[in-house]
Amino acid sequence: MVYFEKEDILHLTISEEDEFQSVEISPNITLELNQNGEIIGLEIIKASNFIQDSILDSSQVKLMQIS
């Protein structure tokens, strides 16, 4: 996992294989695929916002379950 603070990009490497293709699965989130179509990496642009939003969403769901 590498975080590029200046660009606010989080890159997760699953495998060191060569990237054959990339697929944007949602705005700012891209999967990197090998030649067999297997996921070898993930890139999140505006990572700090994504992580903050994910934590808030998860917390709200848990609070709703408690109520």
Side-chain angles (χ1 to χ4, degrees):
M1 178 170 56
V2 178
Y3 178 63
F4 301 95
E5 185 174 359
K6 183 177 177 183
E7 296 86 0
D8 195 20
I9 296 174
L10 179 64
H11 188 261
L12 303 169
T13 301
I14 298 168
S15 171
E16 295 295 330
E17 298 175 67
D18 291 334
E19 179 183 334
F20 179 74
Q21 177 180 359
S22 62
V23 177
E24 186 176 31
I25 59 170
S26 67
N28 301 323
I29 301 177
T30 302
L31 292 178
E32 298 166 345
L33 309 173
N34 66 11
Q35 195 165 6
N36 297 322
E38 300 165 327
I39 299 169
I40 59 168
L42 173 74
E43 182 177 80
I44 302 172
I45 299 171
K46 298 183 182 176
S48 57
N49 289 341
F50 174 80
I51 292 170
Q52 181 180 15
D53 291 347
S54 295
I55 291 170
L56 288 173
D57 289 346
S58 177
S59 298
Q60 288 174 347
V61 168
K62 291 188 187 279
L63 287 173
M64 289 174 59
Q65 292 172 347
I66 294 171
S67 318

